[in-house]
Amino acid sequence: MAEIQQRETTSLRDRCVAEALKVVETSGVESLSLREVSRRLGVSHQAPYKHFPSRDHLLAEIVARVFEEFAQHLENRPRFPDPHDDLRSMGESYVRYALEHPLHYRLLFATPHPNAEEHPEMTANAQRAFGLLREALGQLDETTGLDDESVEHDALFVWSTIHGLASILQSDALCPLELDRGTVEHAAGETLLRIGRALRAGDASEG
């Protein structure tokens, strides 16, 4: 009996998360509420509160799971022995995730999140994703002697650049520019190539 109750509890928790994602997708995060989720699931208004004390707890759970998925996507990228090639692979994986999962990407980077201190799992998963970028950049230490502060600056530089590119490619901003199709199709690769050059130039100046 206890195992059956555990399965039912887990099922309802997961169903709440899945339905909440649908609410965000169709109506925006502003429309997310435990009452709306329970209505859509056909359960009592109090049922979701067994797992999520508030709407913010539900949103934090969604964001935590998406960050975990995002980090796993980056970890599963093609790996290369050359640190610059590996960094480029990570950047390409980042852009690919943004284009293939636009709703999830918006939840990560274009949605106000609940208080980080009150939701440690969400924070930990976000740090894990950013930590992968730090790790990739840290591989440059062996040949360039970058210190921790330089790695942090490089991580912010790479992240902000790739995020900007991903956001542009998700929007209609390029349509009025009438750019050559090949330019748009190769935008990610070319941008990442230039990031690599900039990092190499920085490495040389540090030397």
Side-chain angles (χ1 to χ4, degrees), residues 9 21 31 54 70-71 75 91 146 172 187:
T9 298
L21 270 172
S31 300
S54 69
F70 178 56
E75 285 186 334
L146 290 176
D172 295 326

Side-chain angles (χ1 to χ4, degrees), residues 27-195:
S27 306
V29 71
E30 300 81 4
S31 300
L32 178 62
S33 69
L34 290 172
R35 178 175 290 272
E36 177 62 14
V37 169
S38 63
R39 184 189 70 79
R40 287 178 174 232
L41 290 177
V43 299
S44 71
H45 294 325
Q46 296 302 316
Y49 285 94
K50 297 177 181 178
H51 310 287
F52 306 104
S54 69
R55 179 257 194 194
D56 274 1
H57 284 81
L58 176 57
L59 180 58
E61 176 70 15
I62 295 172
V63 174
R65 293 190 185 195
V66 175
F67 264 123
E68 182 178 21
E69 174 190 86
F70 178 56
Q72 191 62 52
H73 176 83
L74 295 181
E75 285 186 334
N76 292 339
R77 72 187 185 278
R79 302 279 183 153
F80 296 91
D82 181 273
H84 288 283
D85 290 340
D86 194 53
L87 181 63
R88 179 170 180 167
S89 178
M90 175 174 284
E92 289 172 341
S93 294
Y94 183 110
V95 172
R96 185 163 55 253
Y97 182 90
L99 297 180
E100 293 178 354
H101 307 280
L103 171 62
H104 288 188
Y105 189 77
R106 288 197 302 274
L107 279 169
L108 297 183
F109 303 118
T111 300
H113 292 168
N115 187 296
E117 294 182 356
E118 297 177 5
H119 304 282
E121 184 177 0
M122 179 186 72
T123 303
N125 286 351
Q127 291 174 347
R128 175 189 170 199
F130 190 66
L132 290 170
L133 176 56
R134 277 202 208 98
E135 180 183 330
L137 288 166
Q139 298 301 314
L140 300 174
D141 286 357
E142 298 178 4
T143 56
T144 63
L146 290 176
D147 56 29
D148 291 342
E149 184 178 357
S150 295
V151 171
E152 293 290 335
H153 284 300
D154 283 349
L156 287 173
F157 166 60
V158 174
W159 179 32
S160 59
T161 304
I162 294 301
H163 173 68
L165 174 63
S167 299
I168 289 173
L169 293 176
Q170 281 185 317
S171 72
D172 295 326
L174 295 179
C175 294
L177 304 182
E178 299 182 350
L179 297 176
D180 179 76
R181 181 176 179 179
T183 300
V184 176
E185 289 179 349
H186 299 295
E190 288 299 319
T191 298
L192 292 161
L193 178 63
R194 283 158 175 73
I195 288 176

